[in-house]
């Protein structure tokens, strides 16, 4: 092989090539720097406001401030519904990552029940991902401490302090106060986005009726956070407006006495101040513990309540009702006077069985023939014959008009939601439910509070209060006053003007004398006045569940409990200066004078004398330190005790 050929370098060409590459690289770097500079210019100058806002949003987060729910107190300032500090665990799904893994890890720190998990999953599917969903309410202090230690492991999970609703007296006022429950989507649709931070809303009772006042207004605060989302400091706030406090006309002592007076009986009762329409006590028995519903009732507890044949969740005063029996006779007697069909002195001869002209069927009197009977005797001795004849002569159209004038067939207007209207017998009402026409016999039995009648205990209490106060049909109400702030004075709630049930004082006085006669010798309630240092006026009643068999009347005391008649009593005291009127209905109680009447007597004694039924401890509980005592004194100059005598006829 010959020698290798040597290549000579062209220094000039290589230099030129290097310069070209250097220029290209320089231009590329210059372009990159220019692009970077323009990018920085856009970020720092052109879009500065937008990114500054985003940065501020990452550093400063608004947090809603939920207001404290208003307190509910009785007339003496004892707290019936208050708020206690508690913690809940909230999860923001968009920030929590894998929800299943997060919950699995949380379950080792905080005890989570199957119901907690099911409720969370249901609410998470219905809610928006950026909105916090409560995983567990009422986190214990020990659990809260454990979570605080491991907080960094759970982004999007917060331990939130809040005020939890509590009912210190449990079942005692469940049907009056009601309860709050967790907000659902239907509630949010009504409330709007502003109140989305709230967790509870009123579901029943006063909690529902006065929800807007009790709820307050949501505020917010600006919180500075670090990169982990942990709160560092508060930068500013718009304070929440607490809910209004409500003072009821209910007297807690009288409420306890009323419940104790029923013993083991089921039923309802209302005590009302006939001068103002204020409800002094109101019970529906059996009752339930409203605290079970605040954070979601368990399946076991709910099944137990629903399976109870006595229906503890059913508010008998607002949703119930039945035939008023003889308790409505004083008002029917007043209708007979005001319609011109009777005078107080007019007498009819009671043979013990009323016959519609041309008919063989007779309508019997409970006590047989009473002989010549005027208005006062018809009330005191509860003579059915008088009212059979009066109702027949009055006719169902006029009868219906007068009963509606006295407040039947329409809600009383009490401050509780969902009140029923009841039923006043009429051909129009029957025509909507039956193809049969109206029979004269249906008019006759309407005169003694039977047939298609449906009256609530509230309506009866309102009616007897109108008799007691001189003819004013008042709106019964539970809330007497409110205050919008702890340091503000209580402001009475205005009430509508009363409606007059009669313009003839003499007619009303005759009815009152008849009701006073009920509690005197020969009256059906005479056994109730033994030892009373005050005068009473009243009317006993029995609403039949079982009719007579052929020509034989049925003694309710010999029937199974479920078939016994409803026992009723209405009355007021002191009869010469009434400060309380009551209506009592005992389910399957038999007779009014023997079952409902004694309950009413214990209620009168508790209010007028301060004598509580046996076994009733004086209540203790949270107090409002600013409340003023409001004790109803016993009447001055009360008449001497009525001498004991053999009990009168029951009816």
């Amino acid at each position: 092989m010959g020698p290798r050929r040597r290549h000579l370098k062209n220094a000039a060409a290589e230099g030129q090539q290097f310069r070209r590459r250097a220029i290209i690289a320089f231009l590329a770097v210059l372009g990159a720097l220019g692009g970077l500079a323009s990018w920085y210019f856009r970020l720092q100058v052109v879009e500065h406001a937008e990114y500054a806002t985003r940065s501020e949003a990452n550093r400063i987060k608004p947090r809603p401030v939920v207001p404290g729910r208003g307190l509910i107190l009785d007339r003496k300032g004892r707290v019936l519904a208050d708020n206690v500090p508690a913690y809940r665990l909230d999860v923001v799904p968009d920030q929590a990552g894998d929800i299943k893994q997060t919950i699995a890890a949380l379950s080792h720190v905080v005890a989570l029940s199957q119901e907690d998990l099911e409720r969370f999953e249901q609410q998470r599917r219905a809610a928006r991902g950026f909105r916090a969903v409560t995983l567990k309410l009422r986190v214990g202090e020990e659990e809260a401490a454990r979570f605080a230690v491991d907080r960094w492991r759970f982004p999007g999970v917060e331990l939130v302090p809040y005020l939890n609703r509590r009912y210190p007296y449990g079942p005692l006022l469940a049907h009056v106060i009601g309860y709050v429950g967790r907000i659902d989507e239907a509630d949010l649709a009504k409330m709007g986005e502003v109140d989305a931070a709230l967790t509870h809303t009123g579901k029943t009772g006063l909690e529902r009726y006065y929800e807007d006042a009790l709820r307050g207004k949501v505020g917010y605060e600006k919180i500075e956070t670090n990169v982990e989302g942990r709160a560092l400091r508060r930068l500013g706030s718009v304070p929440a407006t607490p809910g209004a406090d409500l003072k009821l006309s209910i007297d807690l002592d009288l409420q306890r006495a009323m419940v104790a007076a029923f013993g083991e009986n089921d039923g309802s009762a209302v005590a009302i101040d006939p001068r103002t329409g204020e409800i002094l006590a109101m019970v529906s028995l059996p009752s339930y513990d409203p605290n079970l519903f605040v954070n979601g009732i368990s399946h076991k507890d709910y099944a137990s309540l629903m399976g109870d044949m006595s229906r503890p969740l059913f508010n008998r005063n607002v949703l119930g009702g039945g035939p008023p029996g003889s308790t409505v006779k004083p008002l029917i007697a007043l209708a007979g006077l005001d319609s011109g069909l009777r005078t107080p002195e007019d007498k009819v001869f009671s043979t013990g069985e009323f016959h519609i002209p041309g008919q063989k069927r007779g309508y019997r009197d409970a006590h047989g023939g009473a002989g010549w009977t005027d208005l006062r005797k018809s009330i005191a001795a509860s003579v059915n014959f008088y009212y059979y004849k009066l109702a027949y002569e009055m006719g169902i159209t006029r009868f219906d008009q007068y009963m509606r004038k006295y407040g039947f067939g329409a809600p009383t207007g009490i401050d509780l939601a969902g009140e029923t209207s009841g039923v006043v017998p009429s051909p129009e009402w029957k025509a909507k439910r039956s193809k049969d026409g109206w029979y004269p016999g249906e008019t006759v039995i309407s005169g003694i509070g039977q047939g298609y009648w449906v009256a609530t205990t509230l309506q009866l209490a309102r009616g007897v209060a109108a008799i007691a106060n001189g003819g004013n049909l008042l709106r019964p109400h539970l809330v007497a006053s409110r205050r919008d702030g702890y340091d503000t004075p209580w402001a009475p709630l205005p009430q509508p003007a009363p409606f007059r049930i009669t313009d003839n004082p003499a007619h009303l006085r005759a009815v009152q004398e008849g009701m006073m006669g009920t509690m005197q010798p020969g009256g059906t309630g005479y056994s109730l006045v033994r030892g009373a240092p005050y005068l009473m006026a009243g009317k006993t009643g029995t609403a039949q569940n079982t009719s007579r068999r052929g020509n034989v009347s049925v003694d309710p005391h010999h029937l199974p409990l479920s078939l016994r008649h409803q026992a009723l009593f209405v009355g007021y005291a002191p009869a010469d200066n009434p400060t309380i009127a009551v209506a009592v209905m005992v389910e399957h109680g038999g007779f009014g004078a023997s079952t409902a009447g004694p309950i009413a007597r214990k209620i009168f004694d508790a209010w007028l004398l301060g004598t509580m039924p046996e076994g009733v401890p004086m209540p203790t509980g949270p107090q409002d330190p600013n409340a003023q005592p409001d004790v109803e004194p016993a009447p001055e100059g009360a008449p001497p005790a009525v001498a004991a005598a053999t009990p009168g006829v029951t009816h």
Side-chain angles (χ1 to χ4, degrees), residues 486-502:
Y486 189 76
D487 297 327
T488 60
W490 291 98
L493 266 62
Q495 300 298 328
F499 178 81
R500 292 290 300 171
I501 62 171
T502 181

Side-chain angles (χ1 to χ4, degrees), residues 414-472:
I414 191 172
D415 37 357
L416 292 173
E419 184 185 7
T420 185
S421 298
V423 176
V424 176
S426 69
E428 292 76 19
W429 181 88
K430 184 181 179 182
K432 296 177 181 179
R433 294 159 179 81
S434 174
K435 295 181 180 179
D436 294 337
W438 186 264
Y439 300 108
E442 293 170 329
T443 301
V444 171
I445 62 173
S446 296
I448 61 167
Q450 296 284 170
Y452 297 120
W453 263 105
V454 176
T456 65
T457 316
L458 263 172
Q459 290 171 334
L460 291 173
R462 187 189 187 200
V464 73
I467 294 175
N469 65 28
N472 292 318

Side-chain angles (χ1 to χ4, degrees), residues 294-440:
V294 174
N295 293 320
I297 189 171
S298 68
H299 294 309
K300 179 181 178 181
D301 290 334
Y302 188 69
S304 176
L305 290 173
M306 293 301 292
D308 191 332
M309 297 300 292
S310 295
R311 301 184 297 170
L313 295 178
F314 186 69
N315 190 337
R316 289 156 167 81
N317 285 309
V318 175
L319 305 174
S326 295
T327 58
V328 80
K329 285 178 179 176
L331 290 168
I332 296 175
L334 181 62
L337 298 178
D338 285 348
S339 65
L341 293 174
R342 295 284 188 277
T343 68
E345 288 71 32
D346 284 345
K347 296 182 179 181
V348 299
F349 189 80
S350 168
T351 62
E353 190 169 271
F354 175 78
H355 289 268
I356 297 174
Q359 292 188 8
K360 294 182 179 180
R361 179 184 177 181
Y363 298 86
R364 294 183 178 180
D365 208 312
H367 313 298
W372 290 107
T373 302
D374 62 6
L375 180 138
R376 295 173 180 83
K377 179 181 176 181
S378 74
I379 296 174
S382 200
V383 181
N384 286 349
F385 186 96
Y386 185 95
Y387 295 94
Y388 289 144
K389 184 175 177 63
L390 176 58
Y392 179 75
E393 294 176 1
M394 187 179 297
I396 194 61
T397 299
R398 189 158 40 172
F399 182 92
D400 175 81
Q401 291 172 349
Y402 274 101
M403 294 304 103
R404 291 186 181 278
K405 180 180 180 181
Y406 303 149
F408 298 101
T412 65
I414 191 172
D415 37 357
L416 292 173
E419 184 185 7
T420 185
S421 298
V423 176
V424 176
S426 69
E428 292 76 19
W429 181 88
K430 184 181 179 182
K432 296 177 181 179
R433 294 159 179 81
S434 174
K435 295 181 180 179
D436 294 337
W438 186 264
Y439 300 108

